[in-house]
Amino acid sequence: MLGFQQFYWGTTKKIIVAVGSIFDNVTFMGDHGDEIRVPLYYSPREKFIENRASNPSIESTAFNEIFPAIGFELASMNFAPERQLNPLARIENVYADDNMIRSFNRIPYDLTFTVTVGSKRFEDSLKIMEQIIPFFTPNINLTIRDREEFKMETNIDVVLNSVALNMSYEGTYDEQRTILWDLQLTAKSYYYTPVESLARIKESVIEMRSMDFDQKFETYSALINPRSAKPSQPYTIVEEIIPGDNDI
């Protein structure tokens, strides 16, 4: 519809993996001095509630296996006009074979993530949160290599927007309570347009003519010799002027 061939740079996937890497190695110390690693899932908040609802008993082994845990998901994507650069500017890279690729400037988008920290014990949840919050000031800077073709590394600011505690008090005394911390993050990322492949110009021809009388005055041509020469190799420019109709 937009006139371009299909393309896919995996930008969103890379950002999701980068944001998840912030929480993929969170640990806390248990009551008996054992180190407990908090598993990470790409899961919405409702999944935590659903698991709790399906295993409500305080004696449930399945519930104990679910928590503690961290789940996160991509919630929304919004254009960021305050970070917009000149959209007509181009990104370029020249390969070793002397071919060039280029693309229009990248487009800024803010990706909003929701992160849920779930625990069966309030103090465990506090221990987990203290492994996370101090590192956001209020942002964490991540570096990703989002465009290998252009050898580009992009710094992504991940901003902690808000933190909220949700603790359920409803239910009987025989039911396990749910302690959930909800974090909202914004990843300041970029998206890319299609790439054009261009070959270096090795020959140019200019015809000078009168359009009114369909008369050609002369033709100027210039070419690289040898044509296979690269910019770092020796070459000469062969110029030639070909007479026009009046000079014949």
Side-chain angles (χ1 to χ4, degrees):
M1 181 180 69
L2 298 178
F4 293 98
Q5 294 182 348
Q6 67 85 23
F7 61 97
Y8 175 64
W9 310 125
T11 303
T12 305
K13 181 179 178 181
K14 293 175 183 176
I15 296 171
I16 291 174
V17 173
V19 172
S21 68
I22 300 174
F23 309 98
D24 67 351
N25 195 28
V26 176
T27 61
F28 69 96
M29 197 66 66
D31 294 338
H32 304 288
D34 53 330
E35 187 179 37
I36 301 174
R37 187 175 185 274
V38 184
L40 176 67
Y41 304 98
Y42 186 77
S43 169
R45 182 178 186 274
E46 289 73 16
K47 203 68 176 177
F48 285 83
I49 301 175
E50 179 183 340
N51 288 336
R52 190 263 181 186
S54 61
N55 301 282
S57 173
I58 196 171
E59 302 295 336
S60 174
T61 304
F63 185 85
N64 294 336
E65 292 176 353
I66 294 170
F67 292 118
I70 299 176
F72 77 106
E73 68 169 337
L74 175 63
S76 64
M77 305 165 63
N78 298 289
F79 179 65
E82 70 278 3
R83 295 189 288 118
Q84 173 70 61
L85 300 177
N86 182 2
L88 298 181
R90 294 180 183 269
I91 306 169
E92 298 180 347
N93 185 32
V94 179
Y95 286 135
D97 60 1
D98 207 26
N99 289 326
M100 182 176 71
I101 59 172
R102 67 180 184 182
S103 173
F104 285 108
N105 225 338
R106 55 190 186 179
I107 310 300
Y109 267 81
D110 290 343
L111 275 61
T112 302
F113 289 84
T114 58
V115 181
T116 303
V117 177
S119 177
K120 64 180 179 177
R121 300 178 59 213
F122 184 58
E123 187 174 2
D124 287 349
S125 72
L126 296 179
K127 292 178 181 179
I128 296 171
M129 292 301 296
E130 287 199 16
Q131 309 303 310
I132 298 174
I133 294 178
F135 297 98
F136 287 91
T137 58
N139 65 294
I140 287 180
N141 187 270
L142 302 176
T143 301
I144 64 173
R145 195 159 206 180
D146 49 354
R147 291 308 302 272
E148 295 287 345
E149 309 94 321
F150 294 100
K151 302 178 181 178
M152 289 182 58
E153 290 186 348
T154 302
N155 293 324
I156 303 293
D157 272 340
V158 181
V159 182
L160 177 61
N161 301 320
S162 63
V163 180
L165 172 62
N166 291 277
M167 188 182 303
S168 64
Y169 294 98
E170 299 178 356
T172 67
Y173 287 106
D174 295 331
E175 292 182 357
Q176 176 69 276
R177 66 178 177 177
T178 303
I179 300 171
L180 299 175
W181 289 86
D182 294 322
L183 293 74
Q184 186 185 72
L185 308 176
T186 298
K188 299 181 178 297
S189 55
Y190 296 91
Y191 282 86
Y192 296 85
T193 57
V195 169
E196 296 179 292
S197 297
L198 303 173
R200 192 175 293 272
I201 297 175
K202 297 295 183 72
E203 180 179 4
S204 62
V205 177
I206 302 174
E207 289 187 349
M208 290 169 279
R209 63 170 58 242
S210 170
M211 302 302 296
D212 295 332
F213 302 100
D214 193 22
Q215 184 179 17
K216 182 168 66 174
F217 298 117
E218 64 181 14
T219 301
Y220 169 81
S221 69
L223 58 88
I224 300 296
N225 183 37
R227 295 181 68 96
S228 60
K230 295 180 172 55
S232 58
Q233 296 176 338
Y235 64 87
T236 58
I237 300 177
V238 179
E239 300 178 291
E240 182 181 8
I241 297 178
I242 303 174
D245 298 336
N246 293 339
D247 298 333
I248 299 178

